[in-house]
Amino acid sequence: MIVESKIVPVALGGRSYDIHIEAGAIDRAGVLLTPFIKRGRAIVITDRNVADLWLDRLTTALGTTEVVVEPIILPAGESTKSWAQLEALTDRLLALGVERSDAIIALGGGVIGDLVGFAAAILKRGCDFIQIPTTLLSQVDSSVGGKTAINSKAGKNLIGAFHQPVHVLIDPDVLDSLPIREVRAGYAEVIKYGLIGDKQFFDWCIENGAKLLAGDAQARIYAIAMSVAAKAAVVAEDERETLDRRALLNLGHTFGHALEAEMGFSSRLLHGEAVAVGMVLALRYSARIGIATMAEADQLAAHFRSLDMAYDLASSGVQASGATLVEHMLHDKKMTGGKLPFILCHGIGDARVEKGVDLADVTAFLDAEA
């Protein structure tokens, strides 16, 4: 398995774009992003933590092709996905005289990507933007597919729009600057693609997950490429989640978002950590209702445990009743007609949408898991 770089297309007709994965890509951004920078200016939006690590290198790389960088540096953290920061960002972009075809670059993790993408979606009824994701989670999930959003008092990502980037540039080398906890959190979204529909990739993750987390370059490129290819295929079929197909990407998220909500969407439980536990819970509940086996759920939990990841309610730190967690689920944006669909597994590699789940049974299940 030797992979130096990879280009994965996202086929959406007039909204199609490529995901370019390459070690050292940030240092070649001047060349790689030239087709998307039309006025010799790039507005790079990032947060303080990422700016300290990568903004100068990106600015230098863009400068090799005489692109002038206008940086906008925002506070780091989930609280940046807010109405206040959205207003401040759009006002700043308008003050800079942004045009629809200008190069607006989101340099950062999921928070920056979601906020910048939403700002681009609503500014002048839609501006182009480029994603340069800097966490594993954003590289394999949030930077691809066009979901953009901010949070509200009612919950996470409830205010947003579908707005596709014009390009995604992924540099696996940036992962070396992350705390291992952040890389582990992103890994949960990697193995998710195997659980959804690729048993062979799931098996690869079981065998190679530890190498990926340890920094093996080839393992990282392969895992990222496989993940974004899987997501790109789903997005191409169901861009706006009007069918059940794209909903499968939410495996682990219904349980996971409830755990995050109970923790106040704070750093006490990262999104990827919540998704990891959520996927184990989804598999265990699937076993409870007879569509998967408990051995499969135990295999996933044991894998996460071997990587020092959260794998059940106790290791997540969440202490809440089943009723409390189900109440959080009722704020899920996937609620339709008063019903909450769950993504469950008919075995590893065969996720499906289940619309007839008994929430009273889910409550009892979560109480038993506590």
Side-chain angles (χ1 to χ4, degrees), residues 50 66 71 98 105 119 166 195 218 235 238 275 298 300 303 329 339 342:
V50 176
E66 299 184 352
V98 167
I105 299 176
V166 295
L195 286 164
Q218 297 303 321
V235 171
D238 186 14
V275 169
D298 290 344
L300 181 63
H303 180 58
M329 292 178 189
K339 299 290 185 180
F342 280 74

Side-chain angles (χ1 to χ4, degrees), residues 74-302:
L74 304 177
E78 189 72 26
S79 61
T80 295
K81 283 175 57 171
S82 67
W83 280 113
Q85 290 294 341
L86 178 67
E87 180 181 19
L89 177 57
T90 51
D91 283 346
R92 175 68 175 139
L93 290 169
L94 290 170
L96 288 170
V98 167
E99 297 181 3
R100 286 182 174 179
S101 60
D102 274 346
I104 300 173
I105 299 176
L107 174 68
V111 168
I112 290 296
D114 283 359
L115 174 66
V116 173
F118 188 32
I122 61 177
L123 197 71
K124 298 188 175 181
R125 298 190 178 95
C127 292
D128 291 347
F129 82 111
I130 297 163
Q131 290 267 23
I132 305 181
T134 59
T135 64
L136 181 58
L137 192 150
S138 61
Q139 288 178 349
V140 301
D141 184 51
S142 60
S143 67
V144 179
K147 282 188 176 181
T148 70
I150 58 172
N151 301 332
S152 73
K153 292 180 181 178
K156 187 172 180 177
N157 297 331
L158 295 180
I159 302 162
F162 288 95
H163 187 59
Q164 301 292 344
V166 295
H167 193 69
V168 180
L169 186 64
I170 295 177
D171 185 346
D173 287 353
V174 303
L175 303 181
D176 292 335
S177 66
L178 292 178
I180 186 59
R181 183 186 178 196
E182 292 278 357
V183 183
R184 289 183 183 127
Y187 176 68
E189 294 281 4
V190 171
I191 199 171
K192 177 188 76 174
Y193 294 106
L195 286 164
I196 289 171
D198 190 341
K199 176 66 162 57
Q200 186 174 355
F201 182 54
F202 175 84
D203 292 340
W204 181 92
C205 289
I206 295 295
E207 292 296 321
N208 295 278
K211 288 186 358 183
L212 185 157
L213 294 180
D216 184 279
Q218 297 303 321
R220 284 180 172 177
I221 291 176
Y222 180 79
I224 293 167
M226 289 291 292
S227 297
V228 297
K231 183 163 189 180
V234 171
V235 171
E237 291 182 36
D238 186 14
E239 180 182 4
R240 293 178 176 266
E241 205 169 307
T242 56
L243 309 171
D244 285 346
R245 180 72 171 135
R246 184 159 183 172
L248 296 178
L249 297 173
N250 293 314
L251 177 66
H253 287 61
T254 300
F255 288 106
H257 280 166
L259 304 182
E260 286 185 274
E262 182 62 21
M263 292 296 221
F265 296 105
S266 69
S267 60
R268 291 186 295 165
L269 186 67
L270 301 179
H271 174 70
E273 293 170 335
V275 169
V277 176
M279 290 190 297
V280 174
L281 291 173
L283 262 177
R284 291 183 67 82
Y285 189 74
S286 298
R288 176 185 175 95
I289 63 174
I291 59 176
T293 68
M294 197 58 71
E296 290 171 310
D298 290 344
Q299 181 186 23
L300 181 63

Side-chain angles (χ1 to χ4, degrees), residues 27-46:
D27 292 324
R28 296 209 314 122
V31 174
L32 297 174
L33 298 182
T34 293
F36 312 101
I37 301 176
K38 299 185 173 60
R39 292 206 295 160
R41 179 180 73 157
I43 300 166
V44 178
I45 305 164
T46 188

